[in-house]
Amino acid sequence: EQCQQALGLLDVMRETILVPDVITYSSAISACEKAEQWEQALDPILVMQNQTLVPNAIACAAAISALGKCGQWHRALVFLDEVQNNGLEPDVIMYSAAISACENAEQCQQALRLLRILRNAHLVPDVIICNATVSACEK
């Protein structure tokens, strides 16, 4: 229900003089993530792109996290690739969300691959990323 309310508020804002920004859309994505509604979590990303708003790292990480929480680990990795193909360099938060998606799905090799990519990009993995990677491989 929170997801639907958040998406409904975005519609109301667009119908008035209020213009949703990236932060507003990111909040809606997070509400859908918490409700484990991955398909709806991607809707604000599409709307932002149609309105020439560039989704930021927070919005993208929330979308990746929503996919991961709903068992859509492969879609999460595809989304991460699309983010990079669209010119936004993934950050530690996005990699963390993607590795957590792999952890939830017990995808050890994918988690290890993401960790290598993260390190090759000269990003420093934090304890959450390391723990999620180990956890993906212990199951």
Side-chain angles (χ1 to χ4, degrees):
E1 185 170 310
Q2 288 177 329
C3 175
Q4 297 304 321
Q5 289 174 345
L7 295 175
L9 287 172
L10 287 175
D11 289 339
V12 168
M13 288 181 76
R14 284 192 300 268
E15 293 169 1
T16 65
I17 59 169
L18 299 173
V19 179
D21 60 10
V22 176
I23 295 169
T24 310
Y25 285 110
S26 296
S27 297
I29 294 167
S30 292
C32 293
E33 172 196 357
K34 288 180 177 85
E36 296 184 4
Q37 296 183 5
W38 68 269
E39 290 168 319
Q40 280 108 350
L42 297 179
D43 287 345
I45 296 284
L46 297 173
V47 172
M48 276 191 279
Q49 291 170 337
N50 289 337
Q51 294 180 349
T52 65
L53 283 173
V54 179
N56 64 9
I58 295 169
C60 292
I64 292 167
S65 184
L67 289 164
K69 284 185 179 178
C70 295
Q72 301 294 318
W73 68 270
H74 187 262
R75 289 180 197 265
L77 300 186
V78 168
F79 185 84
L80 182 65
D81 286 341
E82 288 173 358
V83 164
Q84 193 164 15
N85 292 339
N86 288 328
L88 180 62
E89 285 301 314
D91 65 1
V92 173
I93 298 168
M94 282 189 261
Y95 280 112
S96 180
I99 290 172
S100 291
C102 293
E103 173 193 13
N104 293 339
E106 300 177 8
Q107 295 293 318
C108 174
Q109 294 306 313
Q110 293 297 329
L112 290 170
R113 182 182 68 83
L114 289 171
L115 183 61
R116 278 192 301 275
I117 293 169
L118 179 145
R119 295 191 59 191
N120 288 340
H122 305 291
L123 297 172
V124 179
D126 60 16
V127 68
I128 295 168
I129 289 173
C130 293
N131 287 342
T133 305
V134 169
S135 179
C137 294
E138 73 181 9
K139 296 179 179 180

